[in-house]
Amino acid sequence: GWCPLSPTGAQTTQLLVEPPWRPAVLWNRVTLTCQGSGTAGATTWYKDGQRWGQQGHDSFTVTESGTYTCERPSTGHSPPMTVINDQLVLQVPARALLKGDTVTLRCRD
């Protein structure tokens, strides 16, 4: 993805998920938090590609499945985060994983 350069180096908008597991599952009471530089509260949210209701809030608890992104004025759009409503899921940690890492999987139903 594209990210602007600033005097301190590359800046990007990040979308954090809590609890920190992927895929994010609706019944887990998922909270999304948008992180990027610029004014606090200047977040624009998108759901399934459309501007969506939680404007101005940097975090919220998801109540509908879908694919979410956020935008911050200085750092642009975040990568997408999909929240699903499946009844049985195999989850992996939401952090970046590297070859050779030991990974805990969890099966949730």
Side-chain angles (χ1 to χ4, degrees):
W2 177 87
C3 63
L5 293 177
S6 75
T8 56
Q11 299 285 322
T12 60
T13 302
Q14 298 296 324
L15 191 50
L16 306 181
V17 60
E18 184 64 37
W21 294 90
R22 288 178 190 257
V25 185
L26 194 59
W27 40 257
N28 249 4
R29 282 192 57 80
V30 170
T31 299
L32 297 181
T33 301
C34 191
Q35 284 193 340
S37 63
T39 308
T43 300
T44 301
W45 290 95
Y46 297 84
K47 176 179 180 287
D48 300 326
Q50 304 293 316
R51 264 181 84 115
W52 186 75
Q54 305 285 336
Q55 307 308 324
H57 297 278
D58 292 334
S59 68
F60 71 98
T61 300
V62 178
T63 58
E64 302 174 15
S65 58
T67 300
Y68 294 85
T69 60
C70 66
E71 183 182 19
R72 301 279 296 173
S74 301
T75 50
H77 282 270
S78 70
M81 175 71 64
T82 298
V83 180
I84 62 175
N85 199 27
D86 294 8
Q87 293 304 304
L88 179 65
V89 293
L90 184 63
Q91 292 179 308
V92 299
R95 63 182 173 82
L97 299 174
L98 301 175
K99 185 177 180 180
D101 284 354
T102 299
V103 178
T104 299
L105 303 179
R106 73 177 187 177
C107 190
R108 296 291 303 266
D109 63 11

